[in-house]
């Protein structure tokens, strides 16, 4: 498989180079040149596989010929060893035709582990083959950071720098990043919000000399390999519910649009995914866009579901590329206009095309708290603030009840204990393996929102 940039100007690359590159040199995101599809019979033959076996089958077309099936199998088996549930991603029934896919059995208790544990192994493997080192730089609004750190810690050939917005991630989230004692792990708190962190990372990557000198790489949600690994659990859930012979819908708590875009990819590969519901908190740029066709930035507000506190959903560009007929020039124009004026509109026919598949729902903090309490009272189940938005977003869809719906539970409630306790009166306990987290020693530096200072810090650390 070769990969093309959504801006149409960067050279096409093979999987291993896309993995290491992250962002394309023209500022675009990479996507496969064509979408591999499986026939109904091929999908049927994958029913009943283990999660790991399915992962190999689903991802193989995307990594060939850079990786052999044997190599991929080894990496997949290694990656999911750190997961605590034998099913890896258990599907639990919540109500009639409504299921929750629990994606919080990885080392950092959130769905990002499902991709990043594999990506860490992919990086090590590919770097070893190429005899290279890489400096991973990433921005996090909470979960990506710890998941990336767990994926890269102590791995040969990798240094990792993770930026988080100072004071704007939960104690548990911060500690999951800053208490990792590994020498190759470096945490930086930026005086600014998540978008400031993300812009700093973009700034580093845009500096060709710096990028070259330190071999920058990214594992944030723009990295194609992460989307690819996430496709697996959509296929897993769909097959478990009777696909390809039964259509399904998914509802996904969404920030950067990376998770839900993986659902779109699973549909491209031939699975009957009929509905994709975007769930947001009050930072609802995607819900407003889905409901109006107008994408407009309005600033970020801190919420109790901080991993969805974003102003701009970077992975949306991938869907835009598809909607615009894979015309990189049009994507570039659209995105440039959006960045300049903070606003852009999708032409009505394309917007309607999007709405045939997508729906959206928005829940502010008060609604989210009420829903957490309601679920605890009704079924004894505690959801994290992101997950409960996923659960409830399914219900707004016109196909809810008719189609089996899968809501993605993206984090364990203990990852957001204060918000969950404030909402429900119940303090969610951390699983055993993290029970001493609040006593472990922290390590991080605080820097101003300034690219030059950041570059100096990275250069000094690596010296
Ligand atoms: C990252 C994250 C999200 C949002 O995922 P995207 O891929 O950015 O849409 C939702 N919930 C949790 C718990 C997360 O960590």
């Amino acid at each position: 498989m070769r990969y093309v940039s959504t801006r149409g100007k960067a050279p096409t690359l093979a999987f291993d180079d896309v993995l290491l590159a992250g962002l394309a040199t023209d500022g675009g995101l990479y996507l496969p040149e064509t979408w591999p599809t499986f026939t109904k019979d091929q999908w049927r033959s994958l029913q009943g596989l283990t999660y790991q076996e399915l992962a190999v089958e689903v991802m193989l077309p995307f990594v060939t010929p850079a990786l052999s099936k044997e190599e991929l199998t080894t990496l997949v088996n290694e990656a999911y060893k750190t997961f605590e549930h034998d099913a890896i991603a258990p599907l639990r029934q919540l109500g009639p035709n409504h299921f929750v896919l629990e994606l919080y059995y990885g080392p950092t208790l959130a769905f990002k582990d499902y991709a990043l544990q594999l990506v860490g192994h992919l990086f090590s493997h590919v770097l070893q083959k190429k005899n290279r080192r890489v400096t991973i730089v990433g921005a996090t609004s909470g979960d990506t950071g710890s998941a990336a750190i767990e994926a890269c810690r102590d791995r040969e050939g990798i240094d990792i720098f993770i930026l988080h917005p100072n004071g704007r991630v939960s104690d548990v989230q911060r500690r999951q990043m800053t208490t990792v004692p590994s020498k190759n792990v470096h945490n930086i708190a930026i005086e600014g919000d998540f978008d400031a962190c993300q812009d700093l990372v973009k700034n580093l990557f845009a500096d060709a000399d710096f990028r070259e000198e330190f071999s920058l790489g990214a594992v944030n949600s723009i990295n194609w390999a992460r989307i690819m690994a996430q496709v697996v659990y959509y296929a897993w859930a769909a097959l478990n519910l009777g696909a390809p012979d039964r259509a399904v819908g998914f509802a996904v708590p969404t920030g950067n649009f990376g998770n839900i875009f993986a659902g779109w990819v699973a549909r491209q590969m031939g699975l009957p995914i009929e509905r994709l519901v975007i769930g947001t908190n009050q930072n609802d740029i995607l819900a407003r866009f889905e409901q109006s066709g107008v994408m407009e930035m309005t600033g970020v507000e801190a919420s109790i579901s901080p991993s969805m506190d974003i102003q701009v959903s970077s992975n949306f560009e991938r869907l835009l590329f598809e909607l615009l007929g894979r015309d990189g020039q049009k994507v570039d124009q659209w995105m440039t206009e959006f960045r300049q004026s903070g606003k852009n509109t999708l032409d009505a026919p394309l917007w309607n095309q999007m709405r045939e598949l997508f729906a959206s729902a928005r829940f502010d903090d008060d609604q989210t708290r009420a829903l957490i309490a309601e679920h605890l009272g009704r079924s004894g189940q505690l959801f994290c603030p992101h997950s409960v938005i996923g659960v409830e977003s399914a219900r707004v869809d016109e196909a809810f009840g008719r189609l089996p719906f899968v809501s993605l539970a993206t984090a364990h409630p203990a990852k957001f204990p204060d918000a969950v306790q404030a909402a429900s009166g119940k303090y969610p306990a951390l699983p055993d393996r993290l029970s001493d987290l609040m006593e472990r020693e922290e390590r991080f530096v605080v820097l101003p929102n300034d690219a030059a200072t950041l570059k100096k810090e990275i250069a000094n650390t690596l010296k």
Side-chain angles (χ1 to χ4, degrees):
M1 180 68 71
R2 304 286 300 175
Y3 288 82
V4 296
S5 163
T6 52
R7 304 286 173 106
K9 290 204 198 81
T12 67
L13 296 179
F15 174 77
D16 48 353
D17 292 321
V18 164
L19 174 76
L20 299 182
L23 201 67
T25 50
D26 57 4
L29 311 184
Y30 280 109
L31 279 178
E33 214 163 39
T34 57
W35 292 111
T37 57
F38 297 164
T39 63
K40 276 193 168 192
D41 273 345
Q42 285 173 316
W43 280 120
R44 278 186 206 109
S45 75
L46 304 182
Q47 288 170 339
L49 297 186
T50 65
Y51 189 90
Q52 290 90 327
E53 290 165 345
L54 180 66
V56 170
E57 298 297 333
V58 167
M59 294 190 290
L60 191 59
F62 293 109
V63 304
T64 305
L67 296 180
S68 68
K69 187 168 185 176
E70 265 187 330
E71 287 173 293
L72 182 63
T73 303
T74 306
L75 296 171
V76 163
N77 288 336
E78 280 300 315
Y80 294 105
K81 265 186 193 156
T82 53
F83 284 64
E84 224 158 19
H85 199 294
D86 285 343
I88 308 295
L91 193 61
R92 205 168 47 76
Q93 186 153 14
L94 195 69
N97 255 357
H98 193 188
F99 301 81
V100 177
L101 186 64
E102 296 178 339
L103 297 173
Y104 45 71
Y105 293 99
T108 73
L109 314 179
F111 88 93
K112 293 187 175 74
D113 290 329
Y114 287 73
L116 281 167
Q117 284 294 304
L118 179 66
V119 166
H121 285 279
L122 285 168
F123 258 88
S124 267
H125 184 78
V126 167
L127 287 167
Q128 237 162 349
K129 275 170 83 169
K130 292 180 185 275
N131 195 18
R132 281 180 51 187
R133 292 191 63 83
V134 73
T135 305
I136 300 290
V137 185
T140 186
S141 54
D143 292 324
T144 331
S146 56
I149 286 168
E150 284 298 334
C152 296
R153 64 185 293 183
D154 304 319
R155 289 266 142 74
E156 207 49 51
I158 302 181
D159 272 283
I160 178 164
F161 290 83
I162 294 295
L163 279 52
H164 71 265
N166 195 25
R168 297 199 193 200
V169 300
S170 77
D171 282 354
V172 171
Q173 285 187 320
R174 190 191 65 251
R175 286 182 156 274
Q176 281 188 302
M177 299 189 280
T178 58
T179 61
V180 174
S182 306
K183 271 208 205 102
N184 68 336
V185 170
H186 317 283
N187 281 286
I188 299 173
I190 295 292
E191 288 167 338
D193 60 19
F194 170 62
D195 288 302
C197 297
Q198 209 172 27
D199 284 345
L200 281 172
V201 171
K202 282 202 179 138
N203 190 310
L204 296 195
F205 275 91
D207 179 341
D209 291 341
F210 190 86
R211 178 179 175 151
E212 182 79 8
E213 185 177 353
F214 296 102
S215 287
L216 295 194
V219 294
N220 56 10
S221 73
I222 57 161
N223 195 300
W224 162 255
R226 284 188 50 185
I227 308 266
M228 173 187 80
Q230 289 167 186
V231 176
V232 175
Y233 53 70
Y234 284 91
W236 165 260
L239 292 173
N240 273 299
L241 290 177
D245 301 299
R246 191 181 181 210
V248 294
F250 285 91
V252 187
T254 306
N256 261 320
F257 205 71
N259 196 355
I260 197 165
F261 185 73
W264 185 89
V265 174
R267 174 184 156 92
Q268 285 301 107
M269 294 182 74
L271 284 167
I273 296 172
E274 251 182 44
R275 307 293 298 155
L276 288 169
V277 186
I278 297 164
T280 76
N281 61 28
Q282 58 265 45
N283 298 295
D284 60 350
I285 183 169
L286 281 170
R288 284 184 284 113
F289 175 72
E290 189 278 323
Q291 285 161 30
S292 69
V294 182
M295 181 82 81
E296 185 174 15
M297 295 187 218
T298 55
V300 196
E301 207 181 283
S303 80
I304 60 166
S305 43
S307 302
M308 309 199 297
D309 289 350
I310 51 95
Q311 173 158 247
V312 178
S313 302
S314 42
N315 272 298
F316 175 75
E317 180 165 336
R318 289 189 153 110
L319 182 67
L320 185 68
F321 180 67
E322 298 290 345
L323 289 169
L324 292 173
R326 297 198 140 218
D327 184 332
Q329 208 180 334
K330 281 190 189 159
V331 173
D332 197 39
Q333 265 170 17
W334 201 97
M335 290 305 297
T336 304
E337 196 177 316
F338 173 63
R339 281 286 172 181
Q340 277 166 2
S341 66
K343 187 175 170 177
N344 208 345
T345 305
L346 194 63
D347 290 344
L350 299 182
W351 174 48
N352 286 328
Q353 193 186 321
M354 178 181 168
R355 301 194 82 194
E356 281 169 21
L357 176 61
F358 287 92
S360 66
R362 167 201 199 272
F363 299 91
D364 66 20
D365 284 356
D366 285 341
Q367 291 170 310
T368 302
R369 275 188 285 261
L371 290 166
I372 291 173
E374 191 185 313
H375 277 282
L376 180 65
R378 189 154 18 113
S379 64
Q381 165 98 19
L382 267 187
F383 287 106
C384 96
H386 311 76
S387 302
V388 85
I389 288 176
V391 168
E392 291 303 314
S393 295
R395 296 175 183 278
V396 307
D397 194 73
E398 39 92 11
F400 185 76
R402 175 172 65 81
L403 283 185
F405 254 92
V406 179
S407 288
L408 270 48
T410 50
H412 192 283
K415 198 147 189 174
F416 306 92
D418 299 333
V420 169
Q421 184 178 36
S424 67
K426 186 164 171 174
Y427 193 85
L430 279 167
D432 283 351
R433 62 172 152 176
L434 285 171
S435 58
D436 67 338
L437 184 70
M438 303 317 272
E439 284 90 60
R440 294 181 198 168
E441 190 189 333
E442 287 193 85
R443 217 163 41 93
F444 67 101
V445 297
V446 182
L447 292 185
N449 178 10
D450 174 58
T453 313
L454 175 63
K455 286 178 194 171
K456 225 181 276 169
E457 171 71 20
I458 292 175
N460 285 339
T461 307
L462 293 179
K463 234 192 275 161

